[in-house]
Amino acid sequence: METINIGIVGYGVVGAGVAKLLKLKKQLLEARTGALLNLKTIADIDIETDRGIELGETALVRDAMQVIDDPDIDIVVELIGGDTIAKDFTLKALENKKHVVTANKALLAGHGNELVRTARLNQVDLAFEASCGGCMPIIKSLRESLVANDINSMSAILNGTCNYILTKISQDGSEFEEVLKKAQELGFAEAEPSLDVDGHDTAHKLAILNSLAHGMEINLENIHVEGIRNITPVDIEFARDFGYTIKLLAISKIHDEHVEARVHPTMITKSNPLSHVDHSMNAIAIDADATGKTMLYGHGAGMMPTASAVLSDIADIARNIIAKTKRRVPILGYPEENIRPIPILPMAELFTRYYLRFEAQDHPGVLAKISGILGENQISIKSVHQKGRQSNGKVPVVMISHRAKELWVQTALSQIAATDSVVGEPVVIRIEEDEQD
Ligand code: HSE
């Protein structure tokens, strides 16, 4: 049986999971790939901490170059994260003609095009199933299983931290900061949570999926990103009254000349299956022309679910090596020469429905003033709701719009904010329409 040597760079939670799964599933992996997957070396700056894994013959070293420069290693698994040192190591590994497996969405979203070019130049593979949605086989689905489909749209919950926080606010009526603190104490949220709660982690994943779905270069820069810091129990309660749930969604839709790609809190109806994806779970719904709707659901993070995705890449590359082939499936799902520059729709051009909440002065004529400004900006209101008068003389007014252009809405909101009819910033949450809307 052919031996394939693997080196891991980064022995954190996922690195330990990959090492554990390689050892635990040795026989199954041999039976399924026809290869002996030998974990030759692991590199990490911390080689003292006991990860509780019996490494046997595997060497544990401090210097990543002992993996990257080792002529016997076939596959380098990059599990450091971030896009500084991880980028240097990944480029060096590709230049050394190693196949690279990575779980690093920040690296791919920021530098994926360069990595793909480097892999092509050196005729090696670059695989990243674990970068989006943890164990959900979304990369393979887009690259291979849906090959005969045009992807019309994707909507996804891709950040477990945000989904956990939104679920808890919704269930307990607690404020964002309180839930975040609890989530950090329980180890669900990072000590530095901004990458997750401000939506950037989701945007990294969307940049990758967008490219695979539509055959375009990875474009993170033009994705509109909003996080969940401003979501309050009041909005969740209003949403519930209207039959909506609020989720942080990654949305991608193809149009004739451009693609919509945006990340923001979104109201969806209870009939949308994504509204039932709770706690730290992830899910992606894909609407493709031949298949119709399909959906994946699973753990978006965690030691073993992520390790499972990394192993699927290792097994793919091992099978290629056994078959004496490589680069069988293009890295971004299309041969590089077929990847087109598809522009992302500027957010101001978006048409959708809106939930607008104002903290209005409780005076005669205030509602007429707000509606008047909305009307002057071509925004048609579907319904208006007002919750009881508050002791401070303010009253929350919620309006649900028909389809309107983002530019009109933003213009109207700044005009309304400049009047003395409202206090504070209006709250805007976009509504993802059901097909019948
Ligand atoms: N931080 C991510 C999340 C997991 O909360 O889902 C890794 O992508």
PDB file of all heavy atoms in Angstrom, residues 155-157 163 166-167 170-171 239-240 243-249 266-279 281-285 295 297 432 434:
ATOM      1  N   SER A 155     -28.361  31.217   0.508  1.00  0.00           N
ATOM      2  CA  SER A 155     -28.571  31.934   1.771  1.00  0.00           C
ATOM      3  C   SER A 155     -28.010  31.036   2.850  1.00  0.00           C
ATOM      4  O   SER A 155     -28.326  29.841   2.868  1.00  0.00           O
ATOM      5  CB  SER A 155     -30.051  32.121   2.094  1.00  0.00           C
ATOM      6  OG  SER A 155     -30.694  32.733   1.043  1.00  0.00           O
ATOM      7  N   ALA A 156     -27.229  31.630   3.752  1.00  0.00           N
ATOM      8  CA  ALA A 156     -26.560  30.748   4.702  1.00  0.00           C
ATOM      9  C   ALA A 156     -26.340  31.383   6.065  1.00  0.00           C
ATOM     10  O   ALA A 156     -26.164  32.593   6.182  1.00  0.00           O
ATOM     11  CB  ALA A 156     -25.211  30.321   4.124  1.00  0.00           C
ATOM     12  N   ILE A 157     -26.375  30.515   7.061  1.00  0.00           N
ATOM     13  CA  ILE A 157     -25.946  30.874   8.416  1.00  0.00           C
ATOM     14  C   ILE A 157     -24.576  30.237   8.564  1.00  0.00           C
ATOM     15  O   ILE A 157     -24.454  29.001   8.579  1.00  0.00           O
ATOM     16  CB  ILE A 157     -26.938  30.314   9.461  1.00  0.00           C
ATOM     17  CG1 ILE A 157     -28.297  31.008   9.306  1.00  0.00           C
ATOM     18  CG2 ILE A 157     -26.388  30.471  10.879  1.00  0.00           C
ATOM     19  CD1 ILE A 157     -29.420  30.378  10.099  1.00  0.00           C
ATOM     20  N   ASN A 163     -25.029  32.994  15.551  1.00  0.00           N
ATOM     21  CA  ASN A 163     -26.308  32.283  15.607  1.00  0.00           C
ATOM     22  C   ASN A 163     -26.665  31.922  17.046  1.00  0.00           C
ATOM     23  O   ASN A 163     -27.826  32.019  17.451  1.00  0.00           O
ATOM     24  CB  ASN A 163     -26.260  31.031  14.721  1.00  0.00           C
ATOM     25  CG  ASN A 163     -27.639  30.647  14.236  1.00  0.00           C
ATOM     26  OD1 ASN A 163     -28.476  31.517  13.959  1.00  0.00           O
ATOM     27  ND2 ASN A 163     -27.909  29.358  14.176  1.00  0.00           N
ATOM     28  N   LEU A 166     -27.854  35.254  18.738  1.00  0.00           N
ATOM     29  CA  LEU A 166     -29.205  35.635  18.296  1.00  0.00           C
ATOM     30  C   LEU A 166     -30.259  34.686  18.865  1.00  0.00           C
ATOM     31  O   LEU A 166     -31.349  35.111  19.254  1.00  0.00           O
ATOM     32  CB  LEU A 166     -29.288  35.658  16.760  1.00  0.00           C
ATOM     33  CG  LEU A 166     -28.523  36.787  16.061  1.00  0.00           C
ATOM     34  CD1 LEU A 166     -28.601  36.636  14.552  1.00  0.00           C
ATOM     35  CD2 LEU A 166     -29.041  38.158  16.489  1.00  0.00           C
ATOM     36  N   THR A 167     -29.919  33.405  18.926  1.00  0.00           N
ATOM     37  CA  THR A 167     -30.859  32.431  19.497  1.00  0.00           C
ATOM     38  C   THR A 167     -31.125  32.762  20.962  1.00  0.00           C
ATOM     39  O   THR A 167     -32.270  32.762  21.418  1.00  0.00           O
ATOM     40  CB  THR A 167     -30.298  30.990  19.369  1.00  0.00           C
ATOM     41  OG1 THR A 167     -30.004  30.731  18.006  1.00  0.00           O
ATOM     42  CG2 THR A 167     -31.288  29.951  19.872  1.00  0.00           C
ATOM     43  N   SER A 170     -33.177  35.864  21.476  1.00  0.00           N
ATOM     44  CA  SER A 170     -34.553  35.542  21.107  1.00  0.00           C
ATOM     45  C   SER A 170     -35.258  34.723  22.194  1.00  0.00           C
ATOM     46  O   SER A 170     -36.418  34.967  22.525  1.00  0.00           O
ATOM     47  CB  SER A 170     -34.495  34.780  19.777  1.00  0.00           C
ATOM     48  OG  SER A 170     -35.737  34.340  19.432  1.00  0.00           O
ATOM     49  N   GLN A 171     -34.518  33.789  22.796  1.00  0.00           N
ATOM     50  CA  GLN A 171     -35.144  32.920  23.803  1.00  0.00           C
ATOM     51  C   GLN A 171     -35.299  33.603  25.158  1.00  0.00           C
ATOM     52  O   GLN A 171     -36.296  33.426  25.845  1.00  0.00           O
ATOM     53  CB  GLN A 171     -34.308  31.645  23.986  1.00  0.00           C
ATOM     54  CG  GLN A 171     -34.454  30.683  22.825  1.00  0.00           C
ATOM     55  CD  GLN A 171     -33.536  29.480  22.966  1.00  0.00           C
ATOM     56  OE1 GLN A 171     -32.632  29.446  23.805  1.00  0.00           O
ATOM     57  NE2 GLN A 171     -33.765  28.475  22.132  1.00  0.00           N
ATOM     58  N   ALA A 239     -40.166  41.401  15.401  1.00  0.00           N
ATOM     59  CA  ALA A 239     -40.009  40.435  14.301  1.00  0.00           C
ATOM     60  C   ALA A 239     -40.929  39.241  14.548  1.00  0.00           C
ATOM     61  O   ALA A 239     -41.642  38.787  13.641  1.00  0.00           O
ATOM     62  CB  ALA A 239     -38.553  39.976  14.212  1.00  0.00           C
ATOM     63  N   ARG A 240     -40.936  38.783  15.790  1.00  0.00           N
ATOM     64  CA  ARG A 240     -41.759  37.609  16.136  1.00  0.00           C
ATOM     65  C   ARG A 240     -43.239  37.929  15.910  1.00  0.00           C
ATOM     66  O   ARG A 240     -43.978  37.112  15.366  1.00  0.00           O
ATOM     67  CB  ARG A 240     -41.488  37.224  17.590  1.00  0.00           C
ATOM     68  CG  ARG A 240     -41.968  35.834  17.937  1.00  0.00           C
ATOM     69  CD  ARG A 240     -41.647  35.490  19.374  1.00  0.00           C
ATOM     70  NE  ARG A 240     -40.240  35.189  19.588  1.00  0.00           N
ATOM     71  CZ  ARG A 240     -39.515  35.651  20.599  1.00  0.00           C
ATOM     72  NH1 ARG A 240     -40.033  36.467  21.485  1.00  0.00           N
ATOM     73  NH2 ARG A 240     -38.249  35.309  20.733  1.00  0.00           N
ATOM     74  N   GLY A 243     -44.144  37.447  12.511  1.00  0.00           N
ATOM     75  CA  GLY A 243     -43.895  36.095  11.978  1.00  0.00           C
ATOM     76  C   GLY A 243     -42.491  35.920  11.433  1.00  0.00           C
ATOM     77  O   GLY A 243     -42.226  35.009  10.648  1.00  0.00           O
ATOM     78  N   TYR A 244     -41.567  36.799  11.828  1.00  0.00           N
ATOM     79  CA  TYR A 244     -40.185  36.702  11.338  1.00  0.00           C
ATOM     80  C   TYR A 244     -39.230  36.269  12.440  1.00  0.00           C
ATOM     81  O   TYR A 244     -39.482  36.474  13.629  1.00  0.00           O
ATOM     82  CB  TYR A 244     -39.692  38.060  10.833  1.00  0.00           C
ATOM     83  CG  TYR A 244     -40.382  38.589   9.596  1.00  0.00           C
ATOM     84  CD1 TYR A 244     -41.036  39.821   9.626  1.00  0.00           C
ATOM     85  CD2 TYR A 244     -40.351  37.880   8.404  1.00  0.00           C
ATOM     86  CE1 TYR A 244     -41.652  40.333   8.484  1.00  0.00           C
ATOM     87  CE2 TYR A 244     -40.967  38.384   7.268  1.00  0.00           C
ATOM     88  CZ  TYR A 244     -41.612  39.602   7.310  1.00  0.00           C
ATOM     89  OH  TYR A 244     -42.210  40.102   6.195  1.00  0.00           O
ATOM     90  N   THR A 245     -38.105  35.721  11.999  1.00  0.00           N
ATOM     91  CA  THR A 245     -36.966  35.438  12.869  1.00  0.00           C
ATOM     92  C   THR A 245     -35.803  36.252  12.314  1.00  0.00           C
ATOM     93  O   THR A 245     -35.716  36.428  11.097  1.00  0.00           O
ATOM     94  CB  THR A 245     -36.606  33.935  12.791  1.00  0.00           C
ATOM     95  OG1 THR A 245     -37.777  33.201  13.132  1.00  0.00           O
ATOM     96  CG2 THR A 245     -35.484  33.545  13.721  1.00  0.00           C
ATOM     97  N   ILE A 246     -34.914  36.726  13.211  1.00  0.00           N
ATOM     98  CA  ILE A 246     -33.745  37.475  12.720  1.00  0.00           C
ATOM     99  C   ILE A 246     -32.520  36.560  12.748  1.00  0.00           C
ATOM    100  O   ILE A 246     -32.188  35.984  13.784  1.00  0.00           O
ATOM    101  CB  ILE A 246     -33.485  38.729  13.582  1.00  0.00           C
ATOM    102  CG1 ILE A 246     -34.718  39.652  13.563  1.00  0.00           C
ATOM    103  CG2 ILE A 246     -32.247  39.474  13.076  1.00  0.00           C
ATOM    104  CD1 ILE A 246     -34.596  40.879  14.475  1.00  0.00           C
ATOM    105  N   LYS A 247     -31.870  36.432  11.607  1.00  0.00           N
ATOM    106  CA  LYS A 247     -30.647  35.633  11.494  1.00  0.00           C
ATOM    107  C   LYS A 247     -29.569  36.461  10.798  1.00  0.00           C
ATOM    108  O   LYS A 247     -29.900  37.304   9.945  1.00  0.00           O
ATOM    109  CB  LYS A 247     -30.908  34.370  10.638  1.00  0.00           C
ATOM    110  CG  LYS A 247     -31.870  33.373  11.276  1.00  0.00           C
ATOM    111  CD  LYS A 247     -31.220  32.682  12.464  1.00  0.00           C
ATOM    112  CE  LYS A 247     -32.111  31.640  13.097  1.00  0.00           C
ATOM    113  NZ  LYS A 247     -31.550  31.152  14.386  1.00  0.00           N
ATOM    114  N   LEU A 248     -28.315  36.203  11.139  1.00  0.00           N
ATOM    115  CA  LEU A 248     -27.237  36.822  10.362  1.00  0.00           C
ATOM    116  C   LEU A 248     -27.037  35.957   9.123  1.00  0.00           C
ATOM    117  O   LEU A 248     -26.565  34.821   9.219  1.00  0.00           O
ATOM    118  CB  LEU A 248     -25.927  36.898  11.158  1.00  0.00           C
ATOM    119  CG  LEU A 248     -24.827  37.623  10.369  1.00  0.00           C
ATOM    120  CD1 LEU A 248     -25.065  39.128  10.353  1.00  0.00           C
ATOM    121  CD2 LEU A 248     -23.439  37.325  10.913  1.00  0.00           C
ATOM    122  N   LEU A 249     -27.430  36.486   7.974  1.00  0.00           N
ATOM    123  CA  LEU A 249     -27.360  35.687   6.740  1.00  0.00           C
ATOM    124  C   LEU A 249     -26.246  36.173   5.824  1.00  0.00           C
ATOM    125  O   LEU A 249     -25.981  37.372   5.722  1.00  0.00           O
ATOM    126  CB  LEU A 249     -28.670  35.763   5.950  1.00  0.00           C
ATOM    127  CG  LEU A 249     -29.904  35.054   6.492  1.00  0.00           C
ATOM    128  CD1 LEU A 249     -30.964  34.962   5.395  1.00  0.00           C
ATOM    129  CD2 LEU A 249     -29.605  33.673   7.046  1.00  0.00           C
ATOM    130  N   THR A 266     -30.963  39.630   9.057  1.00  0.00           N
ATOM    131  CA  THR A 266     -32.031  39.531   8.061  1.00  0.00           C
ATOM    132  C   THR A 266     -33.267  38.944   8.725  1.00  0.00           C
ATOM    133  O   THR A 266     -33.167  37.984   9.498  1.00  0.00           O
ATOM    134  CB  THR A 266     -31.600  38.579   6.911  1.00  0.00           C
ATOM    135  OG1 THR A 266     -30.298  38.958   6.477  1.00  0.00           O
ATOM    136  CG2 THR A 266     -32.563  38.620   5.740  1.00  0.00           C
ATOM    137  N   MET A 267     -34.428  39.510   8.380  1.00  0.00           N
ATOM    138  CA  MET A 267     -35.672  38.902   8.859  1.00  0.00           C
ATOM    139  C   MET A 267     -36.132  37.877   7.835  1.00  0.00           C
ATOM    140  O   MET A 267     -36.219  38.187   6.639  1.00  0.00           O
ATOM    141  CB  MET A 267     -36.748  39.973   9.035  1.00  0.00           C
ATOM    142  CG  MET A 267     -36.482  40.852  10.224  1.00  0.00           C
ATOM    143  SD  MET A 267     -37.962  41.772  10.661  1.00  0.00           S
ATOM    144  CE  MET A 267     -37.343  42.724  12.026  1.00  0.00           C
ATOM    145  N   ILE A 268     -36.420  36.678   8.334  1.00  0.00           N
ATOM    146  CA  ILE A 268     -36.938  35.625   7.450  1.00  0.00           C
ATOM    147  C   ILE A 268     -38.188  35.029   8.086  1.00  0.00           C
ATOM    148  O   ILE A 268     -38.325  35.042   9.315  1.00  0.00           O
ATOM    149  CB  ILE A 268     -35.877  34.514   7.179  1.00  0.00           C
ATOM    150  CG1 ILE A 268     -35.241  34.004   8.485  1.00  0.00           C
ATOM    151  CG2 ILE A 268     -34.812  35.009   6.230  1.00  0.00           C
ATOM    152  CD1 ILE A 268     -34.235  32.878   8.276  1.00  0.00           C
ATOM    153  N   THR A 269     -39.069  34.526   7.243  1.00  0.00           N
ATOM    154  CA  THR A 269     -40.319  33.991   7.790  1.00  0.00           C
ATOM    155  C   THR A 269     -40.084  32.598   8.385  1.00  0.00           C
ATOM    156  O   THR A 269     -39.089  31.940   8.085  1.00  0.00           O
ATOM    157  CB  THR A 269     -41.401  33.852   6.705  1.00  0.00           C
ATOM    158  OG1 THR A 269     -40.940  32.891   5.760  1.00  0.00           O
ATOM    159  CG2 THR A 269     -41.708  35.162   6.016  1.00  0.00           C
ATOM    160  N   LYS A 270     -41.040  32.165   9.186  1.00  0.00           N
ATOM    161  CA  LYS A 270     -40.939  30.843   9.833  1.00  0.00           C
ATOM    162  C   LYS A 270     -40.979  29.729   8.788  1.00  0.00           C
ATOM    163  O   LYS A 270     -40.577  28.597   9.070  1.00  0.00           O
ATOM    164  CB  LYS A 270     -42.100  30.635  10.811  1.00  0.00           C
ATOM    165  CG  LYS A 270     -42.168  31.681  11.899  1.00  0.00           C
ATOM    166  CD  LYS A 270     -41.231  31.363  13.036  1.00  0.00           C
ATOM    167  CE  LYS A 270     -41.379  32.406  14.129  1.00  0.00           C
ATOM    168  NZ  LYS A 270     -40.205  32.536  14.953  1.00  0.00           N
ATOM    169  N   SER A 271     -41.479  30.034   7.593  1.00  0.00           N
ATOM    170  CA  SER A 271     -41.525  28.977   6.568  1.00  0.00           C
ATOM    171  C   SER A 271     -40.157  28.783   5.906  1.00  0.00           C
ATOM    172  O   SER A 271     -39.961  27.815   5.167  1.00  0.00           O
ATOM    173  CB  SER A 271     -42.587  29.291   5.516  1.00  0.00           C
ATOM    174  OG  SER A 271     -42.240  30.484   4.865  1.00  0.00           O
ATOM    175  N   ASN A 272     -39.226  29.665   6.182  1.00  0.00           N
ATOM    176  CA  ASN A 272     -37.860  29.498   5.663  1.00  0.00           C
ATOM    177  C   ASN A 272     -37.122  28.550   6.609  1.00  0.00           C
ATOM    178  O   ASN A 272     -36.970  28.854   7.796  1.00  0.00           O
ATOM    179  CB  ASN A 272     -37.182  30.867   5.612  1.00  0.00           C
ATOM    180  CG  ASN A 272     -35.793  30.807   5.003  1.00  0.00           C
ATOM    181  OD1 ASN A 272     -35.108  29.802   5.091  1.00  0.00           O
ATOM    182  ND2 ASN A 272     -35.394  31.907   4.394  1.00  0.00           N
ATOM    183  N   PRO A 273     -36.625  27.404   6.124  1.00  0.00           N
ATOM    184  CA  PRO A 273     -35.979  26.439   7.037  1.00  0.00           C
ATOM    185  C   PRO A 273     -34.812  27.037   7.818  1.00  0.00           C
ATOM    186  O   PRO A 273     -34.514  26.593   8.926  1.00  0.00           O
ATOM    187  CB  PRO A 273     -35.491  25.323   6.112  1.00  0.00           C
ATOM    188  CG  PRO A 273     -36.131  25.548   4.796  1.00  0.00           C
ATOM    189  CD  PRO A 273     -36.684  26.933   4.738  1.00  0.00           C
ATOM    190  N   LEU A 274     -34.179  28.068   7.291  1.00  0.00           N
ATOM    191  CA  LEU A 274     -33.049  28.674   8.017  1.00  0.00           C
ATOM    192  C   LEU A 274     -33.502  29.301   9.332  1.00  0.00           C
ATOM    193  O   LEU A 274     -32.705  29.468  10.256  1.00  0.00           O
ATOM    194  CB  LEU A 274     -32.362  29.743   7.151  1.00  0.00           C
ATOM    195  CG  LEU A 274     -31.593  29.246   5.926  1.00  0.00           C
ATOM    196  CD1 LEU A 274     -31.103  30.427   5.089  1.00  0.00           C
ATOM    197  CD2 LEU A 274     -30.406  28.367   6.317  1.00  0.00           C
ATOM    198  N   SER A 275     -34.791  29.647   9.418  1.00  0.00           N
ATOM    199  CA  SER A 275     -35.278  30.266  10.660  1.00  0.00           C
ATOM    200  C   SER A 275     -35.267  29.264  11.814  1.00  0.00           C
ATOM    201  O   SER A 275     -35.339  29.648  12.967  1.00  0.00           O
ATOM    202  CB  SER A 275     -36.685  30.842  10.457  1.00  0.00           C
ATOM    203  OG  SER A 275     -37.632  29.800  10.394  1.00  0.00           O
ATOM    204  N   HIS A 276     -35.184  27.988  11.502  1.00  0.00           N
ATOM    205  CA  HIS A 276     -35.188  26.951  12.553  1.00  0.00           C
ATOM    206  C   HIS A 276     -33.783  26.442  12.876  1.00  0.00           C
ATOM    207  O   HIS A 276     -33.624  25.478  13.620  1.00  0.00           O
ATOM    208  CB  HIS A 276     -36.096  25.785  12.130  1.00  0.00           C
ATOM    209  CG  HIS A 276     -37.482  26.247  11.811  1.00  0.00           C
ATOM    210  ND1 HIS A 276     -38.383  26.631  12.771  1.00  0.00           N
ATOM    211  CD2 HIS A 276     -38.103  26.457  10.621  1.00  0.00           C
ATOM    212  CE1 HIS A 276     -39.501  27.031  12.207  1.00  0.00           C
ATOM    213  NE2 HIS A 276     -39.365  26.949  10.899  1.00  0.00           N
ATOM    214  N   VAL A 277     -32.782  27.066  12.285  1.00  0.00           N
ATOM    215  CA  VAL A 277     -31.388  26.674  12.565  1.00  0.00           C
ATOM    216  C   VAL A 277     -30.934  27.501  13.758  1.00  0.00           C
ATOM    217  O   VAL A 277     -30.742  28.708  13.646  1.00  0.00           O
ATOM    218  CB  VAL A 277     -30.505  26.927  11.320  1.00  0.00           C
ATOM    219  CG1 VAL A 277     -29.040  26.655  11.628  1.00  0.00           C
ATOM    220  CG2 VAL A 277     -30.990  26.068  10.156  1.00  0.00           C
ATOM    221  N   ASP A 278     -30.813  26.862  14.902  1.00  0.00           N
ATOM    222  CA  ASP A 278     -30.584  27.608  16.138  1.00  0.00           C
ATOM    223  C   ASP A 278     -29.237  27.279  16.778  1.00  0.00           C
ATOM    224  O   ASP A 278     -28.498  26.425  16.308  1.00  0.00           O
ATOM    225  CB  ASP A 278     -31.713  27.320  17.134  1.00  0.00           C
ATOM    226  CG  ASP A 278     -32.992  28.061  16.746  1.00  0.00           C
ATOM    227  OD1 ASP A 278     -32.887  29.115  16.099  1.00  0.00           O
ATOM    228  OD2 ASP A 278     -34.086  27.559  17.050  1.00  0.00           O
ATOM    229  N   HIS A 279     -28.975  27.983  17.876  1.00  0.00           N
ATOM    230  CA  HIS A 279     -27.745  27.823  18.657  1.00  0.00           C
ATOM    231  C   HIS A 279     -26.526  27.996  17.750  1.00  0.00           C
ATOM    232  O   HIS A 279     -26.537  28.870  16.912  1.00  0.00           O
ATOM    233  CB  HIS A 279     -27.770  26.496  19.420  1.00  0.00           C
ATOM    234  CG  HIS A 279     -28.967  26.427  20.334  1.00  0.00           C
ATOM    235  ND1 HIS A 279     -29.042  27.141  21.510  1.00  0.00           N
ATOM    236  CD2 HIS A 279     -30.148  25.790  20.207  1.00  0.00           C
ATOM    237  CE1 HIS A 279     -30.224  26.941  22.071  1.00  0.00           C
ATOM    238  NE2 HIS A 279     -30.914  26.128  21.304  1.00  0.00           N
ATOM    239  N   MET A 281     -25.452  26.082  15.370  1.00  0.00           N
ATOM    240  CA  MET A 281     -25.490  25.309  14.120  1.00  0.00           C
ATOM    241  C   MET A 281     -25.398  26.228  12.901  1.00  0.00           C
ATOM    242  O   MET A 281     -25.786  27.387  12.946  1.00  0.00           O
ATOM    243  CB  MET A 281     -26.772  24.476  14.037  1.00  0.00           C
ATOM    244  CG  MET A 281     -26.932  23.474  15.158  1.00  0.00           C
ATOM    245  SD  MET A 281     -25.516  22.365  15.368  1.00  0.00           S
ATOM    246  CE  MET A 281     -25.735  21.277  13.952  1.00  0.00           C
ATOM    247  N   ASN A 282     -24.875  25.673  11.826  1.00  0.00           N
ATOM    248  CA  ASN A 282     -24.773  26.375  10.538  1.00  0.00           C
ATOM    249  C   ASN A 282     -25.679  25.685   9.530  1.00  0.00           C
ATOM    250  O   ASN A 282     -26.031  24.509   9.695  1.00  0.00           O
ATOM    251  CB  ASN A 282     -23.348  26.286   9.978  1.00  0.00           C
ATOM    252  CG  ASN A 282     -22.346  27.236  10.632  1.00  0.00           C
ATOM    253  OD1 ASN A 282     -21.330  27.559  10.045  1.00  0.00           O
ATOM    254  ND2 ASN A 282     -22.614  27.686  11.846  1.00  0.00           N
ATOM    255  N   ALA A 283     -26.050  26.411   8.482  1.00  0.00           N
ATOM    256  CA  ALA A 283     -26.814  25.790   7.388  1.00  0.00           C
ATOM    257  C   ALA A 283     -26.678  26.651   6.144  1.00  0.00           C
ATOM    258  O   ALA A 283     -26.438  27.866   6.240  1.00  0.00           O
ATOM    259  CB  ALA A 283     -28.288  25.667   7.768  1.00  0.00           C
ATOM    260  N   ILE A 284     -26.816  26.001   5.015  1.00  0.00           N
ATOM    261  CA  ILE A 284     -26.812  26.756   3.756  1.00  0.00           C
ATOM    262  C   ILE A 284     -27.909  26.215   2.847  1.00  0.00           C
ATOM    263  O   ILE A 284     -28.061  24.995   2.714  1.00  0.00           O
ATOM    264  CB  ILE A 284     -25.424  26.731   3.075  1.00  0.00           C
ATOM    265  CG1 ILE A 284     -25.456  27.504   1.739  1.00  0.00           C
ATOM    266  CG2 ILE A 284     -24.894  25.320   2.846  1.00  0.00           C
ATOM    267  CD1 ILE A 284     -24.087  27.936   1.259  1.00  0.00           C
ATOM    268  N   ALA A 285     -28.686  27.122   2.303  1.00  0.00           N
ATOM    269  CA  ALA A 285     -29.732  26.746   1.345  1.00  0.00           C
ATOM    270  C   ALA A 285     -29.280  27.236  -0.022  1.00  0.00           C
ATOM    271  O   ALA A 285     -28.894  28.391  -0.180  1.00  0.00           O
ATOM    272  CB  ALA A 285     -31.042  27.412   1.742  1.00  0.00           C
ATOM    273  N   MET A 295     -30.326  21.825   0.713  1.00  0.00           N
ATOM    274  CA  MET A 295     -29.885  22.471   1.949  1.00  0.00           C
ATOM    275  C   MET A 295     -28.919  21.568   2.715  1.00  0.00           C
ATOM    276  O   MET A 295     -29.095  20.353   2.747  1.00  0.00           O
ATOM    277  CB  MET A 295     -31.123  22.752   2.805  1.00  0.00           C
ATOM    278  CG  MET A 295     -30.835  23.643   3.968  1.00  0.00           C
ATOM    279  SD  MET A 295     -32.353  24.376   4.597  1.00  0.00           S
ATOM    280  CE  MET A 295     -31.769  24.850   6.196  1.00  0.00           C
ATOM    281  N   TYR A 297     -26.934  21.223   6.568  1.00  0.00           N
ATOM    282  CA  TYR A 297     -27.059  21.658   7.964  1.00  0.00           C
ATOM    283  C   TYR A 297     -25.980  20.937   8.757  1.00  0.00           C
ATOM    284  O   TYR A 297     -25.747  19.744   8.535  1.00  0.00           O
ATOM    285  CB  TYR A 297     -28.453  21.248   8.458  1.00  0.00           C
ATOM    286  CG  TYR A 297     -28.703  21.383   9.949  1.00  0.00           C
ATOM    287  CD1 TYR A 297     -29.179  22.570  10.463  1.00  0.00           C
ATOM    288  CD2 TYR A 297     -28.500  20.306  10.820  1.00  0.00           C
ATOM    289  CE1 TYR A 297     -29.442  22.693  11.829  1.00  0.00           C
ATOM    290  CE2 TYR A 297     -28.753  20.425  12.182  1.00  0.00           C
ATOM    291  CZ  TYR A 297     -29.227  21.633  12.678  1.00  0.00           C
ATOM    292  OH  TYR A 297     -29.485  21.770  14.018  1.00  0.00           O
ATOM    293  N   GLU A 432     -35.784  39.277   3.972  1.00  0.00           N
ATOM    294  CA  GLU A 432     -35.555  38.417   2.805  1.00  0.00           C
ATOM    295  C   GLU A 432     -36.916  37.857   2.400  1.00  0.00           C
ATOM    296  O   GLU A 432     -37.611  37.227   3.197  1.00  0.00           O
ATOM    297  CB  GLU A 432     -34.560  37.319   3.162  1.00  0.00           C
ATOM    298  CG  GLU A 432     -33.938  36.589   2.005  1.00  0.00           C
ATOM    299  CD  GLU A 432     -33.277  37.464   0.947  1.00  0.00           C
ATOM    300  OE1 GLU A 432     -32.981  38.667   1.176  1.00  0.00           O
ATOM    301  OE2 GLU A 432     -33.083  36.938  -0.151  1.00  0.00           O
ATOM    302  N   ASP A 434     -40.029  35.905   0.774  1.00  0.00           N
ATOM    303  CA  ASP A 434     -40.435  34.597   0.302  1.00  0.00           C
ATOM    304  C   ASP A 434     -40.836  34.763  -1.155  1.00  0.00           C
ATOM    305  O   ASP A 434     -41.103  35.868  -1.613  1.00  0.00           O
ATOM    306  CB  ASP A 434     -41.650  34.101   1.099  1.00  0.00           C
ATOM    307  CG  ASP A 434     -41.224  33.635   2.486  1.00  0.00           C
ATOM    308  OD1 ASP A 434     -40.009  33.471   2.693  1.00  0.00           O
ATOM    309  OD2 ASP A 434     -42.103  33.459   3.337  1.00  0.00           O
TER     310      ASP A 434
END
